[in-house]
Amino acid sequence: MITLALSKGRIFEETLPLLRSAGIEVLEDPEKSRKLILATNQPDVRVLVVRATDVPTYVQYGGADMGITGKDTLLEHGSDGLYQPLDLQIARCRISVAVRADFDYASAVRQGSRLKVATKYVAIAREFFANKGVHVDLIKLYGSMELAPLVGLADAIVDLVSTGNTLKANHLVEVEHIMDISSRLVVNQAALKLKQAPIRRIIEAFAKAIDDCHSESMDCGSSPQ
Ligand code: PRT
Ligand code: MG
């Protein structure tokens, strides 16, 4: 049995075409079913539905053999014990610093002010501002980061941006582009040894699907714009 951990929403949706190219069809829709273990048309492949931030944990401890997770989650969680054979180039976005449109970020940085930064990505934010030599007080949030500058909880946020519509709707502007993000295939290292043939088959099918997608310059459903 091969167990693949996925999160509901964009990662699940964008993974379906890759699974299809490996001959795998998921038999239930996680948005409709309450089941957390979904069968596929392959009797020896099943899908676990877990929170996006829990995917690396399931794979690390062998609760799943493989999983698909954003690079943001991997950087924040750490990737000990995880083999990362492929950048799937799905669920693409960027991680950025944003502030209220009326906040003068450039002068705050120039003057060496201490910034209050709200984020779910404490590790990524800490490293980014340390490299820049900016002193920050980090405030850990679990969602809706965009709200923090609006109510004076923070001067800035570090968050994912794809279309930029959420920032715009909340009168926030992007002032730093920290890095580009896409989703990675992660594999449990012990599973890779014990179930080498079926796992390799899936990795190769995914790799071929990504290649085909790029060589034909098709819209592969992963463009944020
Ligand atoms: O929702 P939950 O708390 O369970 O977990 P999650 O938010 O971590 O999961 P999910 O499914 O929302 O995101 C899973 C992964 O998708 C992330 O870890 C990223 O790698 C990737 N991804 C790609 C994104 C986005 N694009 C994205 N736009 N994740 C979140 N967003 C957010 C963004 O932060 C903003 O608040 O979507 C909102 C809309 O973005 P705009 O710029 O298009 O308006
Ligand atoms: Mg979410």
Side-chain angles (χ1 to χ4, degrees):
M1 176 67 75
I2 298 292
T3 303
L4 173 69
L6 293 178
S7 53
K8 278 203 259 191
R10 68 191 99 220
I11 289 186
F12 187 87
E13 296 303 321
E14 295 190 31
T15 298
L16 289 181
L18 296 175
L19 286 172
R20 214 163 281 141
S21 71
I24 302 166
E25 296 279 347
V26 184
L27 299 178
E28 261 172 306
D29 176 354
E31 303 295 343
K32 293 189 184 127
S33 167
R34 288 179 178 271
K35 285 191 192 165
L36 299 175
I37 301 181
L38 308 179
T40 72
N41 64 334
Q42 307 289 317
D44 57 346
V45 179
R46 62 181 186 170
V47 170
L48 303 189
V49 181
V50 305
R51 281 292 290 264
T53 43
D54 290 335
V55 167
T57 308
Y58 273 86
V59 178
Q60 194 168 10
Y61 294 105
D65 300 307
M66 359 176 42
I68 295 176
T69 182
K71 182 181 170 190
D72 50 319
T73 305
L74 278 177
L75 288 173
E76 205 53 38
H77 173 275
S79 48
D80 281 0
L82 295 175
Y83 172 59
Q84 295 182 48
L86 280 180
D87 177 350
L88 300 172
Q89 305 187 33
I90 60 169
R92 288 162 87 157
C93 56
R94 55 193 182 272
I95 187 157
S96 297
V97 180
V99 298
R100 272 166 62 148
D102 59 5
F103 180 80
D104 192 347
Y105 174 80
S107 15
V109 167
R110 215 178 310 116
Q111 289 162 14
S113 314
R114 205 174 174 91
L115 291 180
K116 279 191 291 175
V117 178
T119 187
K120 172 168 151 186
Y121 300 104
V122 172
I124 294 172
R126 183 178 295 118
E127 193 190 342
F128 175 75
F129 287 109
N131 286 336
K132 217 177 141 65
V134 173
H135 292 284
V136 290
D137 291 318
L138 294 169
I139 302 166
K140 168 85 184 186
L141 291 178
Y142 293 87
S144 303
M145 265 73 80
E146 293 89 353
L147 192 55
L150 305 183
V151 296
L153 182 65
D155 303 311
I157 60 171
V158 168
D159 194 12
L160 302 176
V161 180
S162 87
T163 60
N165 291 339
T166 307
L167 292 182
K168 212 174 294 160
N170 293 292
H171 311 289
L172 300 176
V173 291
E174 232 174 318
V175 288
E176 304 263 17
H177 175 154
I178 300 182
M179 71 179 86
D180 288 322
I181 298 290
S182 56
S183 288
R184 310 296 151 117
L185 181 66
V186 292
V187 182
N188 175 281
Q189 288 181 345
L192 183 64
K193 291 196 191 102
L194 295 170
K195 305 178 185 178
Q196 188 151 161
I199 289 179
R200 290 273 172 218
R201 199 153 53 235
I202 293 173
I203 295 173
E204 274 155 32
F206 281 11
K208 184 171 181 308
I210 301 162
D211 261 12
D212 290 352
C213 183
H214 284 263
S215 59
E216 290 162 34
S217 64
M218 299 180 336
D219 174 10
C220 301
S222 60
S223 159
Q225 263 72 47

